[in-house]
Amino acid sequence: MKSRTISMFVAFIALVLNSCSNKETVPFEATFTGEYAQVLTGDDVKGCPDGFECHVTVNFKGTATELGNISGTFNFCACGPEGEYAPTESYLVSEDGDSLFFTCSGKVIEGRLPNHPEFVTSYWKDPFVFKGGTGKFEGASGGGSTDDYNSSEDPNSHHHWTGKLSLKK
């Protein structure tokens, strides 16, 4: 009985180690531009945590490694304490129609950093986390950091993301 228990334990460990090695991690980079589709304020804000005074929807398009041409949507509560925005459950859609889910939250900071163009009016540098997806992105994981800003040249948000993406082999 003892040897059977040990054998089962060894088989379980081998299965776990094998499943861990069935993922490939690759660098992830994305550049995309968001168009503010809707900004709700006042009594129109529903479902946001206390202290968040607006609800924002942003539709975006651009490119990303492993996805090609992308589109997607951010849908989140914002205008929070000290410029915070609440966690967003959002997605990127690849050119072949598969979705990559992610979440991010953080803080919008007025002004710009020295390495930003002169026309930057506010920026945010926050973490993002991949949370699975559909098709080839099922079980995806990883994440990285944003380097995003708003501009005085247009009404759009500008996004530059870098990190790692782990996909099933």
Side-chain angles (χ1 to χ4, degrees):
M1 182 71 163
K2 185 176 179 179
S3 66
R4 181 179 174 162
T5 302
I6 291 172
S7 296
M8 289 177 57
F9 179 73
V10 169
F12 173 75
I13 295 299
L15 179 65
V16 168
L17 291 175
N18 187 40
S19 68
C20 291
S21 65
N22 284 335
K23 279 196 167 186
E24 176 182 17
T25 300
V26 296
F28 177 82
E29 291 187 40
T31 301
F32 51 98
T33 301
E35 181 178 321
Y36 289 90
Q38 185 176 58
V39 178
L40 300 174
T41 59
D43 292 339
D44 293 331
V45 177
K46 307 253 189 289
C48 288
D50 287 342
F52 289 85
E53 299 176 2
C54 50
H55 188 271
V56 179
T57 303
V58 176
N59 298 320
F60 59 83
K61 291 186 179 189
T63 60
T65 54
E66 300 301 319
L67 287 95
N69 292 322
I70 59 170
S71 62
T73 299
F74 291 108
N75 194 1
F76 59 99
C77 297
C79 310
E82 298 182 27
E84 292 177 30
Y85 61 97
T88 173
E89 297 291 330
S90 298
Y91 59 91
L92 304 166
V93 180
S94 67
E95 57 190 33
D96 64 3
D98 292 337
S99 293
L100 177 59
F101 308 131
F102 66 89
T103 187
C104 60
S105 64
K107 182 177 182 178
V108 177
I109 301 167
E110 292 299 316
R112 65 181 192 79
L113 293 172
N115 63 321
H116 284 148
E118 291 291 325
F119 53 79
V120 171
T121 59
S122 61
Y123 68 94
W124 53 105
K125 295 175 82 70
D126 300 313
F128 65 89
V129 177
F130 294 122
K131 300 183 76 174
T134 63
K136 66 184 172 190
F137 302 114
E138 186 177 338
S141 61
S145 182
T146 70
D147 185 4
D148 303 340
Y149 63 83
N150 290 313
S151 163
S152 64
E153 291 191 335
D154 61 41
N156 303 316
S157 59
H158 301 268
H159 306 267
H160 309 279
W161 291 18
T162 56
K164 301 282 185 188
L165 175 62
S166 294
L167 300 168
K168 290 181 182 177
K169 287 184 184 179

